[in-house]
Structures are given as structure tokens and as C-alpha cells.
């Protein structure tokens, strides 16, 4: 499964698309275990597909070098995806999330302990895959894993914080999302033998793209229909996880911001209150402000591609930067 990011809309580089078709088999093999409970829990998110955007970035970045073994690219792409999946398991436990990708989370189905163990198992499998390929990429991945952990902790420390600063939010987004986007781009370029300036440019692109992606995702959490999100819009509000549109709205002065604060101070938001909170966020400029920030990051990402050779890989990366801030879900 290639996920819902609309890969066919922006990915025109056939070698990268071909590699993506082989990713599921590598992922399935990576999460196999003699323990049936662990294998089933670890396969829960892997088997649900997801966007696969990080592996796609890795394969595209590899097109800017002389070449790399397809199996090495697949192993590292699977490792990066497993790092992402592991963070989702841990996020769901910390956020007490009930659904993910339109289905019940592992923590709901089998409890927090099994969900955390599945996340740790995915991390371990990712490390094993990386160790089989390249020491430099493994070192980069270790820094990304540390960034993920710090971002998760920082986000947890700011749950229900109505005074959460925008600079702190940006740091969390850089750690939790942009770090793996940057890793994907740097790893693919490095494995393919791209020149250092190309590796750096692609890494900067990945970081900016990740920030754009997170800002857009936060916006969709407020405005996208439940049928697309797999959960009620504004669900993160109830869990005290305030994304960019919420923080922008809270930092405004006016009746909509004041009413939003009043709603978010309540112990448990009902469906009608969630709907009202989303409306107040939009009225206070949270949606328009976050969308503008997402577009700015996407534009910045494209500028980092300027010195790279023209062709389908570069075109695909540029289209992706535009698509992440325009996608309907």
C-alpha cells in the first residue's frame, strides 16, 4: 500500500516508484517474530500502509548520486519507516489516542504495555537494518532517534499548556517530524554517492519539507472531515496536544481567542464543544496563519533544490513540496 499522500500525483521518477513497490516485503520481514503477540502488534501499523513519504524521499534523493545497491536502499528506507512507526506507537500511548489511520490503536486493542513494547521492537529492528548497511547513516539515524525522543518528551511536557510558545512548538516539529524527513534525504543521497553539497542541499530540503508537512498536518487535524482523518476533527484538542493553528489562535487577542481558552480549560470537551473550538480557531486566524507558515516552509524547501540537476527526481521533490500544503487530507 502506498498510502494516502497521493504518491501518484507527484512521484514521476520510475526507479523510485519501483523501489516503493518492494518496500512492504522488507518491512514485513523486519517485524517478524517468534512471539506471535509481538509480531501481531508490530505489524499493526506496518500493515496499514501509511503515507510512505519518508522512503519515497530516500529513493528520490538516491537519484542524485552515481548509484547504490537497491537492497541497501530498501533496508535503510524500511529502517526509517520503522523509526517513524515506532514513534507513532509511543505517541499513541502518550496521547491516549484511540484511532490511527482510521483503525483502533494497539494501546486500545491490547493495552499500553503491548503498544510500547511494539514500538521498542520496531526501533530495535530498525537499528539492525541500519547496522547491515552503513556506519555513517547509522550515526545520523541515532541522532534522529534522540531528536524524536526529545521531541516526544517536550510535547508531553506541554500538553494542556495554553501558554505554549510558538518557538517551542517549532522545536518539537523539527525534532518529531523534520528530523526523519532530513534523515531520509541525507541517507539516500549518501548511499548513492552524491557529492557533499548535494547531500547537504537535500538534507536542508527534507528538514524544511518536514516542517511544512507538520504545519499542514496540524491544520488538517482541525479542518479535515472525519471520514478523511479517521477521527473527529479537533480530537487532539481534547488530549491537550495543541498544534500550530491552535497556538496561533491562542496567541491572538479577541473574543474568539478568549472563548477558545475557556473551552480548552474544561476537563473534557464534548463533540459540540470540539466543533465550536475548531470554529473559534479558524475565526481567530489559526487556520490561515498555519497555512501561510506551511507554504513558506514548502517554498523554502524548493529553494534548496535550485543547484541540483534537472530531471524527474528534482521535479518530483518540487511537486511534493507543493502537494503537502495543498492536499485535501
Amino acid at each position: 500500500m502506498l498510502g494516502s499522500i497521493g504518491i501518484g500525483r507527484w512521484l514521476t521518477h520510475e526507479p523510485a516508484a519501483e523501489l516503493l513497490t518492494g518496500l512492504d516485503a522488507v518491512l514485513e520481514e523486519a517485524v517478524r517474530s517468534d512471539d506471535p503477540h509481538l509480531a501481531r502488534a508490530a505489524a499493526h501499523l506496518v500493515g496499514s500502509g501509511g503515507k510512505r513519504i519518508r522512503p519515497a524521499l530516500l529513493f528520490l534523493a538516491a537519484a542524485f548520486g552515481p548509484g547504490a545497491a537497491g537492497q541497501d536502499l530498501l533496508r535503510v528506507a524500511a529502517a526509517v519507516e520503522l523509526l517513524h512507526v515506532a514513534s507513532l506507537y509511543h505517541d499513541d500511548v502518550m496521547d491516549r489516542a484511540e484511532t490511527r489511520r482510521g483503525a483502533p490503536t494497539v494501546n486500545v486493542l491490547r493495552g499500553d504495555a503491548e503498544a510500547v513494547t511494539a514500538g521498542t521492537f520496531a526501533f530495535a529492528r530498525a537499528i539492525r537494518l541500519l547496522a547491515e548497511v552503513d556506519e555513517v547513516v547509522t550515526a545520523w539515524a541515532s541522532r534522529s532517534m534522540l531528536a524524536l525522543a526529545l521531541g516526544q518528551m517536550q510535547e508531553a511536557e506541554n500538553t494542556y499548556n495554553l501558554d505554549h510558545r510558538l518557538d517551542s512548538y517549532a522545536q518539537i516539529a523539527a525534532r518529531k517530524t523534520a528530523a526523519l524527513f532530513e534523515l531520509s534525504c541525507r541517507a539516500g543521497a549518501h548511499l548513492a554517492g552524491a557529492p557533499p553539497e548535494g547531500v547537504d542541499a537535500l538534507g536542508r530540503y527534507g528538514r524544511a519539507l518536514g516542517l511544512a508537512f507538520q504545519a499542514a498536518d496540524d491544520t488538517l487535524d482541525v479542518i479535515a472531515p472525519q471520514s478523511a482523518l479517521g477521527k473527529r476533527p479537533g480530537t487532539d484538542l481534547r488530549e491537550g496536544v495543541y498544534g500550530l493553528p491552535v497556538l496561533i489562535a491562542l496567541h491572538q487577542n479577541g473574543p474568539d481567542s478568549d472563548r477558545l481558552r475557556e473551552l480548552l480549560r474544561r476537563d473534557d470537551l464534548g463533540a459540540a464543544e470540539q466543533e465550536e473550538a475548531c470554529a473559534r480557531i479558524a475565526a481567530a486566524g489559526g487556520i490561515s496563519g498555519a497555512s501561510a507558515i506551511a507554504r513558506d516552509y514548502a517554498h523554502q524547501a524548493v529553494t534548496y533544490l535550485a543547484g541540483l540537476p534537472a530531471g524527474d527526481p528534482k521535479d518530483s521533490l518540487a511537486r511534493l513540496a507543493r502537494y503537502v500544503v495543498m492536499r485535501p487530507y
Side-chain angles (χ1 to χ4, degrees):
M1 295 176 63
L2 296 184
S4 60
I5 192 63
I7 280 179
R9 300 182 182 216
W10 58 268
L11 180 58
T12 59
H13 185 57
E14 291 186 8
E18 181 64 27
L19 282 167
L20 272 175
T21 64
L23 182 65
D24 282 352
V26 180
L27 286 168
E28 290 167 6
E29 176 63 28
V31 297
R32 285 182 183 171
S33 171
D34 292 336
D35 186 312
H37 299 290
L38 183 58
R40 184 168 56 249
H44 182 78
L45 279 181
V46 169
S48 68
K51 299 177 179 68
R52 302 291 197 250
I53 189 171
R54 295 157 191 82
L57 285 172
L58 189 145
F59 298 146
L60 283 171
F64 293 94
Q71 281 303 309
D72 284 349
L73 292 175
L74 281 167
R75 288 190 187 97
V76 176
V80 173
E81 185 70 4
L82 287 173
L83 294 178
H84 169 57
V85 165
S87 73
L88 297 182
Y89 281 115
H90 293 165
D91 266 352
D92 287 344
V93 171
M94 295 171 71
D95 298 342
R96 302 187 301 278
E98 298 179 355
T99 60
R100 168 76 67 177
R101 297 173 182 170
T105 56
V106 170
N107 43 296
V108 166
L109 293 172
R110 301 184 182 92
D112 288 352
E114 192 160 330
V116 170
T117 302
T120 304
F121 177 67
F123 269 122
R125 291 303 199 193
I127 292 169
R128 189 175 74 173
L129 285 168
L130 290 165
E132 294 173 353
V133 179
D134 186 272
E135 291 182 358
V136 172
V137 173
T138 303
W140 289 345
S142 69
R143 291 198 290 270
S144 296
M145 285 186 278
L146 176 59
L148 271 171
L150 291 172
Q152 285 180 317
M153 182 59 68
Q154 190 175 356
E155 183 177 78
E157 290 169 348
N158 283 284
T159 53
Y160 298 104
N161 181 6
L162 297 178
D163 298 311
H164 189 192
R165 301 190 317 275
L166 288 169
D167 59 346
S168 175
Y169 162 87
Q171 188 176 57
I172 293 171
R175 288 171 166 173
K176 287 194 61 181
T177 303
L180 282 186
F181 278 63
E182 179 176 356
L183 172 64
S184 299
C185 291
R186 288 188 181 276
H190 169 76
L191 289 170
E197 60 271 20
V199 175
D200 187 59
L202 286 160
R204 290 174 183 271
Y205 162 88
R207 180 180 176 84
L209 180 73
L211 293 170
F213 182 90
Q214 186 60 58
D217 241 31
D218 288 349
T219 304
L220 292 173
D221 183 65
V222 178
I223 65 173
Q226 183 171 349
S227 58
L229 284 177
K231 59 181 180 180
R232 182 184 298 277
T235 296
D236 287 351
L237 295 174
R238 190 183 64 202
E239 305 300 338
V241 181
Y242 303 145
L244 184 57
V246 184
L247 297 182
I248 290 174
L250 288 171
H251 279 74
Q252 306 306 308
N253 293 317
D256 289 303
S257 177
D258 293 342
R259 174 58 177 164
L260 179 60
R261 284 180 174 272
E262 180 186 332
L263 288 167
L264 296 182
R265 286 193 184 101
R266 300 185 179 183
D267 290 338
D268 189 21
L269 285 178
E273 292 163 324
Q274 278 181 237
E275 186 175 340
E276 182 186 351
C278 290
R280 297 286 180 175
I281 292 165
I287 302 302
S288 59
S291 297
I293 289 172
R295 289 193 299 270
D296 285 346
Y297 278 128
H299 175 73
Q300 186 181 96
V302 173
T303 65
Y304 290 128
L305 302 175
L308 297 175
D312 282 346
K314 182 175 179 178
D315 291 344
S316 292
L317 292 174
R319 276 194 295 272
L320 174 59
R322 291 189 291 269
Y323 186 73
V324 298
V325 298
M326 295 171 58
R327 70 193 194 275
Y329 58 90

